Amino acid sequence: MAQPLTESTTQAAPAKESALAPLRRPGFRAVWSALAGSQLVIWMNTVGAVTVIAALSDSPTLIALVQTANSVPAVLLALVMGSMADIVDRRRFAVASQGWMLASVATLAALTLGDVITPGLALGLTFALGAGMATTFVIYQALTQDFVPHSELPAAVALNGVAINLARAVGPALAGLVIAALSAGALFAVEAGLLVAIVG
């Protein structure tokens, strides 16, 4: 005869959650993949922008400004974007931000492949791409809590960190391979294709 459920049997200690448990959830998996892909684009683009500016100018200041153009938007926009992510539809906001990134890198690809790019345009479009990434990063961090239960939130946040560090490690190396095999313009076109996939 089956033993009836008692308070002691129903309050058994829960099994320890796997560190990869959030990735079993389709919503979080989509957000995680988009975050990783967006970060990959940023790190690839940094190498491409430096390559383009170095080919056009001997100024070390202009080359150093590439990283500044990528980073400053995060400082300027983080607080505002964080507030907006709490009051607007986050998924539509994420798509709009990715669309902005796509427009920026597609323009950079067209100008570079058309051989009409200038250091100023490269820096300006890099800044625009950085602004899109700053916005996207905040939104994806906010979306994380929408797709995982509270018990899995620490693991989800840790996985977001893994995505960022993985992109930081792989992006520059991948960019170098594409530039060596093709060109910086082709690299920007590849980035645009990746962003199209992310928006999808």
Side-chain angles (χ1 to χ4, degrees):
M1 187 167 124
Q3 182 180 2
L5 291 176
T6 65
E7 186 175 352
S8 61
T9 58
T10 56
Q11 290 184 351
K16 185 179 177 67
E17 292 285 354
S18 165
L20 300 178
L23 289 174
R24 299 192 193 109
R25 302 182 182 278
F28 175 76
R29 196 162 57 242
V31 168
W32 188 87
S33 300
L35 175 62
S38 300
Q39 286 287 323
L40 188 64
V41 166
I42 284 292
W43 288 101
M44 290 168 65
N45 189 80
T46 299
V47 176
V50 166
T51 301
V52 167
I53 291 176
L56 295 172
S57 170
D58 295 328
S59 170
T61 301
L62 287 175
I63 294 172
L65 283 174
V66 170
Q67 192 58 50
T68 303
N70 264 333
S71 304
V72 166
V75 178
L76 298 177
L77 298 175
L79 186 60
V80 175
M81 292 303 110
S83 298
M84 285 193 66
D86 288 333
I87 60 176
V88 301
D89 185 314
R90 291 172 183 165
R91 284 182 252 194
R92 290 184 180 181
F93 197 15
V95 171
S97 298
Q98 297 283 196
W100 174 266
M101 290 179 68
L102 173 58
S104 301
V105 78
T107 303
L108 189 54
L111 293 176
T112 304
L113 290 170
D115 203 23
V116 292
I117 192 70
T118 66
L121 285 171
L123 285 174
L125 290 166
T126 298
F127 182 90
L129 184 64
M133 185 65 249
T135 304
T136 300
F137 178 77
V138 171
I139 297 167
Y140 284 150
Q141 293 290 79
L143 276 171
T144 296
Q145 63 189 339
D146 293 342
F147 291 110
V148 298
H150 184 74
S151 62
E152 292 179 5
L153 196 54
V157 171
L159 284 168
N160 285 344
V162 169
I164 293 166
N165 289 322
L166 189 62
R168 183 179 293 144
V170 173
L174 186 57
L177 289 173
V178 174
I179 291 171
L182 300 169
S183 67
L187 172 65
F188 299 141
V190 168
E191 293 170 17
L194 182 56
L195 285 168
V196 168
I198 292 171
V199 171

